[in-house]
Amino acid sequence: MTSAPAWWQRGAIYQIYPRSFADSDGDGVGDLRGIRAHLDHLSDLGVEAVWLSPIYPSPMADFGYDVADYCNVDPLFGTLADLDHLIDDCHARGIRVVLDWVPNHTSDQHPWFVASRSSRHDPRRDWYVWRDGAPDGGPPNDWSSSFRAAGPAWTFDEHTGQWYLHSFLAQQPDLNWDNPEVEEAMHGVLRFWLDRGVDGFRIDVVFKIAKDPLLRDNAGAARRHDEDWDTIDDRLRGIRRVVDEYPGRMIVGEVYLLDLSRVVSYSSGGDRLHMAHNFVFVLLPWSAQAFRTSIGDFEALAGATVWPAWFLANHDHSRVASRYNDDAQGAARARAIALLLYALRGTPFIYQGEELGLPDAVIPPQRMVDIDGRDPERAPIPWRPPSSAGPAAGFSTGEPWLPLGADAERLCVERQAADALSTLVLVRRLAALRARTPALQMGSLRMLETGADVLAWLREGDDDRVLAAVNFASVAVPLRLPADLARTAILLLSTAPGRAEAEVDLTAFRLGPSEAVLLRL
Ligand code: NOJ
């Protein structure tokens, strides 16, 4: 018997990047009231939950991932009351709300860091990682920031004559998780939001909260010393214990490790994360073989107990329609990817705008604001055609903080909602199909051998069998299935515009260029 799904297993979790979703007050930056005004979009998409990228007070050096107060809302986004109203409105629609919890680092403006840097003897000194420099006067070790342009992971602080660690920008000092007071304070942050009714957290760079306490160099070592240290298991268990004090909550971690067995371990055992984002998947080339291996490897390690989180886009990565645009197939492949995400065993994570098949926006050099080149995927959402709504396409009445993509007229929500063949309508149909198909939610997954161009798999429930197939070729190809499968099937859904539900002969079935299908056997 397939088991009943938890809410976070049933359907998609939709990532909102609040700066770029919808602006209610005309300052060019999206806000919480803007989100509240567009909840119909989320309901129509049938999403189970929204994950909000950080909305906390922040100097915005890393657009909110530099948190100056974990328990409030930045005035740019609104107020705590606005957030309460948003949570209530979402809950009234059966949509859960997941916040982004940033435990590895704070802003350099956070009162904890202001105190910590004030004196070597301040009680908060050890809440961050301070060290003397190397004998040659350089930084304490060879660790570098994850942002290439930021250089070393250490900054010298004149005032107290020591260096502090920052895995990202100098404005994002790393908290010292080896200090139990830090762990306790960060657990307190979780409780603050859980008490307020949030349904879970996406945990920013969770693999970074465990580092070698001896701060040994990475160079020449068999493993990295600046992340995924042995202390991680206890830290994950500690976080999970707090979350489990509240019924029905969920934690999903950003685990940017390329060793899949490590990724899987973060969500194994029932006492760590519920899910881990798998970045191996985001880095795949457009190849049926690469996807087959990656999905197969993850499933083999996961077994029946670890629940996958599948995603191919977020606010840090080029959008699918641009990333996979060889042979000008980006738009078709974005549709195929949507089907793939909804049809794998696991929870699909959909980054805002992917449901529209948006490509990356072209950002002129003078408008670039991110140190790590991530502006193109963060361009605002086009809601209405510029021809009727003005140049900001219904995102804002003012000047948007980043320019919108060029094709807002054609790709905006209003236009796509009115077009039965659009990507938006396709994603709505996928969500509805998954919602009424137990095999797609909780069924087992079996990858099939279908040749070099086609990725295909079976989802099998108690009395339901669905076959998914994706054509990675830019030309039409036959679907060659193993001989033991049925000869006819019902085509439930195709990403090729205009192909209708019908009974099909599987022995003669062809997939169009970049087409993906769901078939009931
Ligand atoms: C991962 C986030 O997704 C990214 O946007 C951010 O810059 C880093 N973590 C640092 O918090």
Side-chain angles (χ1 to χ4, degrees):
M1 266 255 301
T2 43
S3 52
W7 63 263
W8 46 270
Q9 296 176 308
R10 269 196 305 258
I13 298 184
Y14 182 87
Q15 183 193 353
I16 292 185
Y17 192 68
R19 292 184 78 83
S20 302
F21 191 68
D23 171 22
S24 72
D25 59 9
D27 66 357
V29 176
D31 47 46
L32 297 176
R33 285 178 185 222
I35 300 173
R36 274 179 80 202
H38 288 86
L39 293 183
D40 282 348
H41 181 62
L42 305 178
S43 293
D44 292 344
L45 275 172
V47 305
E48 283 295 332
V50 289
W51 142 32
L52 304 182
S53 279
I55 39 73
Y56 319 108
S58 165
M60 303 288 169
D62 190 19
F63 302 105
Y65 285 94
D66 47 326
V67 180
D69 176 357
Y70 285 108
C71 299
N72 212 332
V73 170
D74 195 284
L76 201 54
F77 297 128
T79 63
L80 207 44
D82 289 329
L83 184 60
D84 288 338
H85 292 315
L86 175 62
I87 294 172
D88 288 347
D89 287 0
C90 284
H91 285 172
R93 291 167 180 258
I95 297 173
R96 308 302 212 275
V97 178
V98 172
L99 295 187
D100 212 313
W101 183 58
V102 188
N104 177 68
H105 44 269
T106 67
S107 160
D108 62 348
Q109 304 302 308
H110 194 293
W112 297 342
F113 188 72
V114 173
S116 185
R117 84 186 318 174
S118 69
S119 144
R120 290 196 188 202
H121 308 292
D122 188 89
R124 296 257 194 270
R125 183 65 168 183
D126 185 51
W127 280 41
Y128 293 82
V129 184
W130 291 97
R131 287 293 184 281
D132 293 332
D136 68 356
N141 69 17
D142 71 351
W143 297 359
S144 37
S145 160
S146 301
F147 297 139
R148 201 175 295 253
W154 296 93
T155 289
F156 184 69
D157 193 55
E158 295 281 350
H159 179 61
T160 55
Q162 283 192 310
W163 299 72
Y164 67 88
L165 178 68
H166 52 86
S167 296
F168 296 89
L169 298 174
Q171 296 96 317
Q172 293 168 294
D174 280 29
L175 284 161
N176 175 18
W177 273 76
D178 292 327
N179 182 333
E181 289 175 12
V182 167
E183 185 163 22
E184 199 43 46
M186 289 308 292
H187 287 177
V189 172
L190 293 172
R191 289 197 185 91
F192 174 85
W193 291 111
L194 291 164
D195 285 334
R196 264 194 130 78
V198 313
D199 300 284
F201 302 93
R202 175 264 189 182
I203 309 182
D204 188 64
V205 294
V206 65
F207 59 105
K208 286 270 180 200
I209 64 170
K211 305 179 182 85
D212 176 5
L214 300 177
L215 303 181
R216 284 169 288 190
D217 281 350
N218 279 330
R223 57 183 288 197
R224 286 182 67 151
H225 290 260
D226 57 349
E227 61 189 38
D228 191 34
W229 202 249
D230 307 339
T231 39
I232 192 66
D233 285 321
D234 282 345
R235 295 199 180 145
L236 294 174
R237 289 195 188 100
I239 294 165
R240 178 63 176 264
R241 274 196 298 276
V242 174
V243 172
D244 280 350
E245 291 166 13
Y246 301 75
R249 315 297 166 102
M250 179 280 303
I251 44 178
V252 54
E254 181 191 23
V255 186
Y256 206 139
L257 299 172
L258 301 183
D259 173 350
L260 277 182
S261 66
R262 294 298 308 140
V263 178
V264 167
S265 80
Y266 275 60
S267 53
S268 64
D271 60 353
R272 282 164 256 197
L273 305 175
H274 294 91
M275 294 182 277
H277 281 145
N278 163 13
F279 284 79
V280 175
F281 208 55
V282 182
L283 303 177
L284 292 177
W286 184 255
S287 141
Q289 190 51 46
F291 274 71
R292 185 179 297 120
T293 306
S294 178
I295 296 164
D297 287 353
F298 195 93
E299 283 287 330
L301 289 163
T305 52
V306 169
W307 186 256
W310 298 110
F311 79 106
L312 280 162
N314 70 17
H315 62 296
D316 297 330
H317 293 274
S318 170
R319 287 189 176 278
V320 166
S322 296
R323 196 156 88 226
Y324 293 135
N325 195 29
D326 332 54
D327 303 332
Q329 292 288 305
R333 289 177 184 170
R335 295 165 71 92
I337 286 291
L339 184 143
L340 173 133
L341 292 174
Y342 277 89
L344 286 174
R345 187 187 80 91
T347 299
F349 279 74
I350 308 293
Y351 174 50
Q352 68 181 36
E354 289 296 298
E355 76 280 21
L356 305 173
L358 293 185
D360 291 332
V362 176
I363 312 290
Q366 70 278 14
R367 297 287 303 268
M368 289 180 185
V369 289
D370 180 50
I371 186 173
D372 208 31
R374 298 168 295 183
D375 300 319
E377 59 265 27
R378 296 176 177 180
I381 295 298
W383 291 98
R384 292 165 43 224
S387 56
S388 60
F395 163 72
S396 174
T397 53
E399 171 74 13
W401 73 287
L402 278 176
L404 277 82
D407 215 356
E409 188 74 19
R410 191 174 58 88
L411 294 177
C412 68
V413 173
E414 190 178 288
R415 279 282 161 80
Q416 294 206 36
D419 173 2
L421 303 182
S422 68
T423 300
L424 174 60
V425 171
L426 172 78
V427 177
R428 289 179 181 174
R429 290 173 60 212
L430 279 167
L433 185 60
R434 177 167 167 136
R436 62 173 187 270
T437 311
L440 284 181
Q441 291 176 32
M442 297 303 280
S444 61
L445 177 140
R446 172 149 67 97
M447 297 301 293
L448 301 174
E449 273 310 321
T450 43
D453 291 323
V454 176
L455 178 72
W457 63 100
L458 270 184
R459 299 295 312 278
E460 296 179 280
D462 291 337
D463 39 35
D464 203 13
R465 278 211 312 175
V466 176
L467 182 136
V470 181
N471 179 12
F472 278 70
S474 305
V475 295
V477 298
L479 176 61
R480 290 189 220 285
L481 292 170
D484 61 324
L485 287 181
R487 301 179 75 80
T488 60
I490 305 290
L491 176 68
L492 298 172
L493 196 150
S494 161
T495 60
R499 218 206 270 230
E501 187 170 323
E503 183 166 310
V504 295
D505 174 4
L506 288 178
T507 61
F509 192 79
R510 289 176 72 79
L511 290 161
S514 306
E515 184 184 9
V517 293
L518 286 173
L519 298 149
R520 174 162 280 126
L521 300 186

